[in-house]
Amino acid sequence: MISNINYWDLDAVADSIIRGRKLTDDNLRELLSLTEEEDIQKLNYVARKVRDHFFGNRVFLYSFVYFSTHCKNNCAFCYYNRCNDIQRYRLDMDEIRSIARAVKNETIHMVDLTMGEDPYFHNEPEKFVDVVKAVKEETGLPIMISPGVMDDTTLTKLHENGANFLALYQETHDKDLYRKLRVGQSFDERNHARQFAKNIGYCVEDGILTGVGNDIESTIVSLRGMENGQPDMVRVMTFVPQEGTPLEEVDQESSLSELKIISVLRLMFPDKLIPASLDLEGIDGMVHRLNAGANVVTSIISADSSLEGVVNYDRELEERDRDSKSVIKRLRSMGMEPASQAEFNSIIEKRRTKPARIPVVA
Ligand code: SF4
């Protein structure tokens, strides 16, 4: 790559990535420094070309079930941190089963079971194993768990009982920034859980925040940190200041930086899953993220659901336009299609039968 995107042969750059070219730190610096919308659109074009080579026009859809908003932690960026005086809920088993039955009737490839680090489940992990078993039983679908950091024994039990994917975002691999964001939590334990899960046959997702004190060098540290863990799915999300949190007063950046990083992720992880979350800007935002190179739509919830998202751009809106039917309609208007369940299952199966062998942080 040369130092001005206007001199790139965009198709040739895409082809070189498809053939296995790796980005250097200088390449990353160059791409992350782009500020002009026109330049970022060129980068988005290259990323789409790479994605289309590996995935065609097929998109994966994940349903989001935030079943407990209780949490023992104090992350500075999070609305659900334990110090925030908000209304919280924890669904009981009947409610979880009934949501799972509703999910079964939608076009969804995987169910994402998310909670804060709720002591109710973390002190007695068997209760969480029961939730996974019940949702598996009701849906028969692959299950992603997003429970925070759990120990090796619990991760193993969850995997044996139907959990296929672990989502555990580091948020940043820059240790100084980590200390400010994930206040009082171990950097290494978080990495360890993801690596351990991967080695026993889970697919894993790592993710970072942008617009939260990360400059270009810090972002490169995070991108390389994610790369070292060899995740199956990589995410970036724009930081959105949340009421009642220590970072409430921070100015929110536009989504341009996120769109740029999504494209950079596609060039670094050409054949991996990269999500376009509905949680930040709904279906219009999903379109921009897919156009930047994403290939998964996450945070789908049924039209009448009152469950929480994580960022919840639509917390105040009466109608929540993020059900699978609305998503698919918009995908088709973009010339894209939901993938088949078999296509998604083959990704899960490949990892299950060929677990990774990466060094685990003690
Ligand atoms: S990010 Fe997760 S672990 Fe941190 S406070 Fe929020 S819910 Fe808890």
Side-chain angles (χ1 to χ4, degrees):
M1 277 176 214
I2 51 178
S3 58
N4 185 336
I5 200 167
N6 290 307
Y7 292 107
W8 289 14
D9 176 340
L10 300 180
D11 293 324
V13 173
D15 286 343
S16 72
I17 296 287
I18 290 165
R19 285 197 308 275
R21 177 178 178 172
K22 302 283 178 227
L23 300 186
T24 64
D25 282 0
D26 279 343
N27 295 150
L28 293 178
R29 237 166 245 126
E30 180 188 331
L31 297 175
L32 294 170
S33 304
L34 298 176
T35 50
E36 298 300 317
E37 198 165 341
E38 199 188 329
D39 291 343
I40 295 173
Q41 277 175 10
K42 286 179 182 163
L43 173 63
N44 295 163
Y45 169 86
V46 177
R48 280 201 302 278
K49 243 201 126 185
V50 172
R51 177 203 59 203
D52 292 353
H53 172 83
F54 289 99
F55 296 97
N57 68 344
R58 322 288 269 178
V59 179
F60 302 107
L61 310 180
Y62 300 174
S63 163
F64 185 69
V65 182
Y66 203 168
F67 65 95
S68 170
T69 58
H70 293 267
C71 187
K72 64 181 181 195
N73 285 334
N74 199 16
C75 299
F77 56 89
C78 178
Y79 184 66
Y80 304 101
N81 84 62
R82 67 161 190 263
C83 299
N84 207 4
D85 184 17
I86 53 171
Q87 294 273 6
R88 298 176 191 263
Y89 63 75
R90 179 185 303 119
L91 302 185
D92 66 26
M93 195 57 104
D94 288 343
E95 291 168 316
I96 292 172
R97 276 188 182 274
S98 127
I99 290 171
R101 279 194 290 273
V103 166
K104 196 174 162 45
N105 298 324
E106 303 202 17
T107 306
I108 289 295
H109 299 102
M110 181 158 74
V111 186
D112 173 3
L113 291 174
T114 291
M115 64 168 166
E117 290 198 12
D118 181 354
Y120 176 85
F121 291 106
H122 275 252
N123 295 346
E124 289 182 67
E126 274 305 326
K127 290 179 174 161
F128 184 42
V129 175
D130 289 343
V131 169
V132 169
K133 271 195 216 160
V135 174
K136 194 69 157 191
E137 211 175 279
E138 295 290 353
T139 66
L141 289 170
I143 293 182
M144 170 183 262
I145 52 169
S146 312
V149 177
M150 302 204 101
D151 61 45
D152 297 355
T153 311
T154 305
L155 284 172
T156 305
K157 231 181 250 170
L158 287 161
H159 190 49
E160 288 165 357
N161 283 281
N164 307 95
F165 223 116
L166 173 72
L168 190 64
Y169 313 146
Q170 204 74 11
E171 309 298 358
T172 173
H173 285 264
D174 169 342
K175 288 191 177 177
D176 288 336
L177 184 56
Y178 181 94
R179 268 192 290 278
K180 292 178 196 154
L181 296 180
R182 289 206 173 271
V183 179
Q185 294 163 62
S186 162
F187 182 92
D188 288 343
E189 271 174 30
R190 207 167 180 85
N191 256 337
H192 168 92
R194 204 180 310 106
Q195 290 164 353
F196 175 83
K198 185 158 172 106
N199 284 353
I200 63 167
Y202 278 89
C203 287
V204 299
E205 180 184 10
D206 194 359
I208 57 173
L209 274 178
T210 188
V212 68
N214 51 306
D215 58 15
I216 288 179
E217 294 309 316
S218 168
T219 305
I220 292 175
V221 169
S222 286
L223 293 171
R224 293 298 184 208
M226 287 207 285
E227 197 174 41
N228 288 340
Q230 302 169 34
D232 304 277
M233 178 151 161
V234 279
R235 170 184 299 253
V236 55
M237 282 178 79
T238 306
F239 165 67
V240 178
Q242 298 288 325
E243 202 181 338
T245 65
L247 303 182
E248 178 178 8
E249 302 295 336
V250 171
D251 287 338
Q252 185 179 340
E253 275 187 9
S254 80
S255 57
L256 265 193
S257 162
E258 179 184 329
L259 297 177
K260 183 167 62 179
I261 298 175
I262 287 176
S263 292
V264 170
L265 287 173
R266 177 56 68 203
L267 305 195
M268 290 180 74
F269 303 88
D271 59 350
K272 301 300 180 201
L273 300 163
I274 299 180
S277 174
L278 293 168
D279 204 31
L280 286 159
E281 297 175 321
I283 288 199
D284 291 338
M286 168 195 88
V287 172
H288 298 311
R289 287 161 178 80
L290 290 171
N291 281 336
N295 66 328
V296 180
V297 180
T298 62
S299 293
I300 295 174
I301 49 185
S302 55
D304 56 356
S305 173
S306 59
L307 295 190
E308 293 280 17
V310 173
V311 173
N312 265 336
Y313 81 103
D314 53 0
R315 190 176 280 131
E316 310 294 333
L317 302 183
E318 258 178 42
E319 261 191 56
R320 305 175 89 186
D321 189 21
R322 46 162 136 171
D323 56 287
S324 64
K325 261 198 197 122
S326 310
V327 166
I328 292 168
K329 195 168 156 208
R330 187 64 81 87
L331 286 181
R332 294 203 163 123
S333 77
M334 301 170 69
M336 303 187 93
E337 283 289 331
S340 69
Q341 189 65 48
E343 281 171 280
F344 188 70
N345 290 354
S346 74
I347 296 175
I348 300 271
E349 198 51 24
K350 207 158 116 198
R351 175 66 55 228
R352 197 183 64 78
T353 52
K354 268 198 191 163
R357 293 271 175 270
I358 47 177
V360 175
V361 181

